[in-house]
Amino acid sequence: MGGSSIDDDWEFSSSSNETRTMILVGRTGNGKSATGNSILGSKVFKSRASSSGVTSTCELQKTVLSDGQIVNVIDTPGLFDFSVESEFVGKEIAKCIGMAKDGIHAVLVVLSVRTRFSQEEQAALHSLQTLFGNKIVNYMIVVFTGGDELEDNDETLDDYLGRECPEPLKEVLALCENRYVLFDNKTKDERKQFAQVQRLLSLVNKVISQNCGRPYIDELFVELKEGARKMRKKQREVDSSEGYSELQRLQFKEQMRQTYDEQLKRITEMLEIKLKEATAGLEQQLAEEQVARLKMEVAQKRSDEEIRKLREHLEKAHEELRKREENRCAIL
């Protein structure tokens, strides 16, 4: 992040009702960048069909709505894809925290109706809760992409969820108190574009209301912001003092940047440790689930084998009984 985030915004930005900061999270290929573009009303994030993902680092873009409301959207790479290293995830999450200076008003979990809800997405949500605490679910909204495909099949989102919704996804929607919306990122219909964004913003406002107007902020946000505030204060003192040469001012500014980078590095390391613990715990959970599933399969096979044997015994008994009846009739 360098020193780019140590600016006046850290001190003077406001968490007023006019600003909404949203972060997009989800698996590579689910349409995070396209969703960000739909929200902002312009193609500011790179978005195209790609198996490896187009977004390589966190990026913030903003727009001002007609009512004067500022909307900040942070797009992220596939932070919780199984193939991503924890070091990269830690750095990118620290970067997100730096961008969301006054906290996060909504976490948009982007899923696609074109693919089934996977273990990878379960892991992503588990990691989010581990990194930011259970209260992060109070800020989560699920955005389903692929609305054009459902429309082509004359289906609604409720039809899709009724037909395709696995139990883990039901649990996620329950955690979010059924805050979900469907996006068609391919539509050229301006009324449809406007309507889906308005539905999302109404959910964001609902999240803000339920959280008493407070965005999501944890100790990492506070630490970064407080560190930046102190450094800005020191820099103004140096700038306003006549006792420093231009060289000394430049040296002090560089020292501030180094201090800030060290703070970021420490926070990144903390996030990496948390993420590794979460990953280890998840791997153990998945291994236990696999063992339990194998045991169930073995038990089912045994049960099927026992049922097969019972059927064979019954068939033999019926056959013997039939032969006896035939013999008895022949004697008579």
Side-chain angles (χ1 to χ4, degrees), residues 8 22 61 67 86 96 122 143 203 226 230 307 327:
D8 290 326
M22 312 172 204
Q61 297 287 349
D67 60 359
S86 58
C96 280
Q122 272 186 273
V143 179
L203 288 176
E226 181 62 18
K230 288 179 179 178
I307 291 170
N327 290 336

Side-chain angles (χ1 to χ4, degrees), residues 126-140:
H126 179 80
S127 297
L128 269 176
Q129 288 177 269
T130 301
L131 289 169
F132 296 112
N134 288 329
K135 69 176 183 178
I136 195 67
V137 300
N138 298 331
Y139 294 84
M140 281 167 39

Side-chain angles (χ1 to χ4, degrees), residues 1-15 62 93-103 217-233 236 257 260 263-264 267:
M1 291 175 65
S4 61
S5 289
I6 312 175
D7 53 29
D8 290 326
D9 288 345
W10 269 102
E11 187 157 355
F12 299 119
S13 60
S14 169
S15 57
K62 63 176 65 179
I93 290 176
K95 188 173 182 180
C96 280
I97 292 171
M99 289 176 173
K101 299 179 177 69
D102 293 294
I217 296 176
D218 70 1
E219 66 274 9
L220 300 180
F221 284 82
V222 174
E223 185 175 343
L224 267 181
K225 188 167 184 176
E226 181 62 18
R229 187 193 67 79
K230 288 179 179 178
M231 284 184 275
R232 288 296 303 174
K233 182 180 179 182
R236 280 198 295 273
R257 294 188 187 283
Y260 186 75
Q263 185 184 34
L264 270 183
I267 287 174

